[in-house]
Amino acid sequence: MKGIPAEQVLAELAELRKGDLPTHGGRLFAYVYDPAVPGLDELAAAAYASSAHVNGLDPTAFPSLLRMENDLVGMAAAVLGGGPDTVGSVTSGGTESLILAVKAARDGAPHIAEPRLVMPVTAHAALAKAASYLRVALDVVPVGADLRVDPAEVAAAIGPSTVLVACSAPSYAHGLIDPVEPIAAAAAAAGVRCHVDACFGGWTLPFLRRLGEPVPAFDLSVAGVTSISVDLHKYAYAPKGVSVLLHRDEALRLPQYFGYADWPGYTMVNPVISSTRSGGPIAAAWATLRHLGDDGYLALASTTLAAVRGLAAAVSAVDGLVLLPVESTVVAFQSTDVDLFVLADELTARGWHTQPQFQHGDIAPSVHLTVTAAVEPRVAEFAADLAESVAAARAHGPVELPPDIFSLVGDVSSLAAALGVGSGSSVLPSRMAVINTLLNAAPPAVREQLLVAFLSLLQRPAGLTGA
């Protein structure tokens, strides 16, 4: 491959980006977080560029990055009830923070041969990923019809091999805050660590409380909580990907580290999973947090709260939709008579990108809306389109799967062809209801198998065009 001019490279990149979902404008209710603050993107980009080539491998070589990381940890500790002994680390995202929380708990109890993790079924899947990577067994506690976990059942699940109890503030799927205080108390009584996954809500719940919302205690101010994680690339509105993992004290953090000196090269000492790390995301987060400040985040939380209330009212006003309890910045709803997967397609056709969620045991399918400050000016527009989309979905009726579709489960290429899924860089069908209906009908293990196979089908090498 021959090199091509920079202008052509950027033009090709712009063309590729045309197929992506919109990251700004308040029409994408998942994946991205848009505060709609003028100039913030430009500030973050400039800060990112200033430190993109700085390497976090050795903080003594690049003290600027060490200072910025310590500042981010300090700011997170101030927001999340930290004390004078609180320490933390900056990671690449919520998944890395959760993996490290599990690692610290596992390695902090070396006498336990077969460590176990207790968590509600509504806990983020990244905790299951951490358990899988680290060979920690899972004890999953069910939730009730109200989608809440009973602290007594969590306490009963703690055993002699439990190294960590995890809970959410809030859970991603439905936006509900677990009863952290009694869960942490049960963990402490058993001599077990308790991690609060506040990756999603950690940077909004404290500000919502200041606005008068009844947010229960969930952070390091709660006795028994030993660690907590918060993603700065969510409601701190920093670019991807920056998260912070806080520990109550240094002794709890030490097992998180990795050190290795038994080779002829430099001694490797890493606080997080990566060794080489670009300073770009950290500098962008540092600049974003310093620019917005406490007052800025309080104002953004107020705007987001107004959007949440408006969307909740819009859902409640539509016959056939059932609004789930709203405790954070998630609006989630189920339905009594509308195929939600068809509804999601109808909303997509009108420019709204939502996140359908599948049946899990007795938990019915739902639609998830992550609400950001950028949504607030669009609430009335969404409400009108929601009512129209529900009418269209009701007229369409439920999806009927192609005959004998389940006979193709073992032949992913044929199944993909039957569902209209291409390979390599080919895009998925514009309407996803049939695929989502199939996945919804499949047991979780089969769903996992299908999605892994589909992803593998999509991720195939492609030849570069041009010179």
Side-chain angles (χ1 to χ4, degrees):
M1 181 189 74
K2 292 175 59 179
I4 59 177
E7 295 79 3
Q8 183 178 341
V9 173
L10 293 175
E12 290 179 3
L13 179 59
E15 186 65 27
L16 289 172
R17 286 279 288 111
K18 289 180 180 178
D20 292 344
L21 295 179
T23 59
H24 294 70
R27 285 182 167 271
L28 177 55
F29 292 101
Y31 308 121
V32 298
Y33 297 78
D34 179 14
V37 174
L40 189 62
D41 282 355
E42 291 76 12
L43 169 66
Y48 193 111
S50 75
S51 299
H53 297 290
V54 173
N55 190 345
L57 174 64
D58 183 352
T60 66
F62 302 102
S64 67
L65 195 59
L66 176 63
R67 169 62 186 272
M68 286 187 281
E69 287 189 282
N70 284 337
D71 284 349
L72 291 175
V73 169
M75 287 185 270
V79 170
L80 293 172
D85 295 328
T86 300
V87 294
S89 303
V90 178
T91 75
S92 63
T95 296
E96 185 177 3
S97 289
L98 293 175
I99 290 173
L100 290 170
V102 176
K103 179 190 183 299
R106 183 198 68 177
D107 292 357
H111 60 286
I112 296 179
E114 298 180 352
R116 307 188 71 87
L117 162 63
V118 172
M119 68 182 196
V121 70
T122 49
H124 198 283
L127 279 163
K129 181 177 181 179
S132 175
Y133 279 14
L134 298 169
R135 297 186 182 273
V136 173
L138 278 179
D139 292 313
V140 179
V141 181
V143 296
D146 61 355
L147 303 175
R148 301 179 187 280
V149 70
D150 183 345
E153 293 191 21
V154 175
I158 300 173
S161 294
T162 303
V163 296
L164 182 66
V165 175
C167 51
S168 306
S171 62
Y172 177 82
H174 307 113
L176 302 180
I177 303 168
D178 285 333
V180 173
E181 287 185 300
I183 290 175
V192 174
R193 296 185 186 215
C194 177
H195 179 78
V196 176
D197 173 15
C199 290
F200 184 75
W203 213 267
T204 53
L205 293 177
F207 294 100
L208 292 175
R209 183 189 290 123
R210 288 171 56 183
L211 293 169
E213 291 298 287
V215 176
F218 70 91
D219 56 20
L220 288 171
S221 65
V222 176
V225 171
T226 54
S227 60
I228 189 168
S229 50
V230 58
D231 287 359
L232 303 185
H233 59 224
K234 290 188 170 73
Y235 285 101
Y237 294 113
K240 308 288 185 185
V242 186
S243 177
V244 173
L245 171 62
L246 299 176
H247 292 277
R248 183 173 291 277
D249 58 47
E250 179 63 19
L252 291 166
R253 180 176 66 170
L254 280 176
Q256 169 190 310
Y257 282 65
F258 174 82
Y260 190 79
D262 194 13
W263 76 305
Y266 64 91
T267 298
M268 177 180 284
V269 182
N270 301 138
V272 296
I273 294 174
S274 299
S275 294
T276 288
R277 294 181 293 141
S278 170
I282 293 169
W286 184 84
T288 299
L289 269 64
R290 287 181 56 79
H291 177 63
L292 290 175
D294 187 76
D295 291 345
Y297 284 116
L298 188 64
L300 287 168
S302 179
T303 302
T304 304
L305 180 59
V308 167
R309 289 171 173 169
L311 291 175
V315 171
S316 298
V318 179
D319 289 341
L321 298 186
V322 179
L323 178 70
L324 296 177
V326 178
E327 289 188 348
S328 57
T329 53
V330 172
V331 174
F333 57 89
Q334 298 167 340
S335 177
T336 58
D337 67 340
V338 175
D339 187 321
L340 290 178
F341 305 129
V342 175
L343 172 59
D345 281 349
E346 293 294 338
L347 285 168
T348 299
R350 291 162 177 79
W352 304 99
H353 308 281
T354 62
Q355 195 166 49
Q357 300 181 138
F358 302 127
Q359 176 102 17
H360 186 279
D362 294 332
I363 302 175
S366 61
V367 171
H368 167 108
L369 308 178
T370 291
V371 186
T372 63
V375 173
E376 195 273 336
R378 294 191 172 275
V379 168
E381 184 183 358
F382 177 82
D385 282 347
L386 177 65
E388 184 179 296
S389 296
V390 167
R394 189 173 283 123
H396 181 284
V399 165
E400 294 184 7
L401 293 172
D404 301 323
I405 191 69
F406 283 100
S407 67
L408 300 176
V409 166
D411 182 354
V412 176
S413 296
S414 297
L415 179 60
L419 297 175
V421 179
S423 63
S425 60
S426 300
V427 296
L428 292 167
S430 59
R431 299 185 75 87
M432 294 287 295
V434 172
I435 293 174
N436 285 331
T437 300
L438 172 66
L439 294 172
N440 185 62
V446 176
R447 188 184 305 158
E448 293 166 6
Q449 175 189 349
L450 288 173
L451 287 172
V452 167
F454 278 141
L455 185 59
S456 180
L457 190 67
L458 292 172
Q459 292 183 322
R460 299 297 171 90
L464 293 174
T465 59

